[in-house]
Amino acid sequence: MDGLPMQVPREGLPERVTIYEVGPRDGLQNEKAIVPVGVKAEFVHRLLDAGAPIVEATSFVHPKWVPQLADAEDLMTALGDEGRELPVLVPNERGLDRALELGSRHVAIFGSATDTFAQRNLNRSLDEQYAMFEPVVRRARDAGLDVRAYVSMCFGDPWEGAVPIEQVVAAGRRLLDLGARQLSLGDTIGVGTAGHVRALVAAFEEAGTPRDRLAMHFHDTYGQALANTYAALESGITTFDASAGGLGGCPYAKSATGNLATEDLVWMLTGLGIEHGLDLDRLVATSSWMAGELGRPSPSAVVRALAGAAG
Ligand code: HMG
Ligand code: MG
């Protein structure tokens, strides 16, 4: 498919964006099968080789809560020095201790904008989640680590329905106030639409959070992830989470399916002439290989189109 997509830049959009790859973490945490640690390490290496600037590797959560990532120590050991620079999820001090023991330099806490999801995902109320994160961020910062914060259910919640924008901004700002550098706004169940995205970014800006501290984390459950990404680009957002092949979901949010596929994002950014640094052919080869390992076709439209074109 040489020459495609044709590059036709559009004025008013950022010149370059950072793609924050979450495939090995968000992608694999929801798989039915347990993926062997060697396959996970190869997945991470192939993503780095494809030019991914950031690859979130795994989670130091309770192994009973997410058995798919119970091998976090083994994976980080297998990744060696390279692994220390890759972000990992830590919900609490126990998770931070595990990450510090392996020399992690980047950690991410993950809060909720709604009380129900905080209970289901973290076994904590909304207020208790901040109390759990406070020492994590303080100790991580004291140790010189970089801290990202996620806020989930930014657009809607399967139990509570529509989530008011002010509620999301309040939750996000509390997580940033703890000392996180970046806030990733999660559409955990993929129900957001483009106008909602713009309104949410504007509300954060009005509350004093500049857009360069925000990232967007779209799941594609309702097929809105690319449209929402475009709306966020128009709002000046320059960091986007995506998952190779469109894998992903959250085991504690019913109806959460795959993340925005990295390949679909790369296709759109390339067409718009926006720099991203990833090699699409290598990505597609990686996701096709991973689909074989998982025993099912990739949910990404671009992977299916290009893998089909090659075959
Ligand atoms: P809990 O049961 O309340 O834990 O779970 P606890 O603090 O009461 O401790 C109970 C026992 O667990 C203790 O052991 C702890 O040491 C142990 P005991 O003394 O009984 O022997 N423990 C741990 N062990 C290993 N690692 C740990 C850990 N913590 C406690 N980190 C907890 C609370 C937060 C641990 C649990 O709810 C949990 O692990 N939740 C994680 C759920 C998860 O990973 N969800 C998916 C990620 S979020 C997501 O996908 C959304 C996102 O993509 C953005 C979006 O899409 O919106 C980020
Ligand atoms: Mg997610």
Side-chain angles (χ1 to χ4, degrees), residues 209-297:
T209 306
R211 56 187 103 159
D212 62 5
R213 293 191 68 190
L214 298 176
M216 303 305 301
H217 179 103
F218 294 122
H219 284 259
D220 203 24
T221 320
Y222 289 78
Q224 303 299 303
L226 268 186
N228 290 344
T229 300
Y230 191 82
L233 284 168
E234 285 185 324
S235 296
I237 299 293
T238 55
T239 301
F240 291 92
D241 301 0
S243 165
L247 301 173
C250 177
Y252 292 100
K254 62 178 181 200
S255 72
T257 63
N259 289 79
L260 166 63
T262 314
E263 292 85 352
D264 298 11
L265 174 62
V266 162
W267 187 271
M268 183 178 79
L269 294 174
T270 304
L272 289 165
I274 297 174
E275 278 178 43
H276 50 73
L278 276 87
D279 180 322
L280 184 57
D281 291 340
R282 283 185 181 204
L283 268 178
V284 169
T286 300
S287 292
S288 302
W289 162 79
M290 200 58 196
E293 293 291 330
L294 296 172
R296 60 182 175 87

Side-chain angles (χ1 to χ4, degrees), residues 22 25-26 29 150 152 186-188 217-219 249-250 257 259:
V22 296
R25 194 279 303 170
D26 209 341
Q29 75 181 10
Y150 286 95
S152 287
D187 187 2
T188 321
H217 179 103
F218 294 122
H219 284 259
C250 177
T257 63
N259 289 79

Side-chain angles (χ1 to χ4, degrees), residues 45 57 74 84 86 182 193:
H45 280 135
D74 293 343
R84 294 188 235 294
L86 308 179
Q182 185 177 65
T193 51

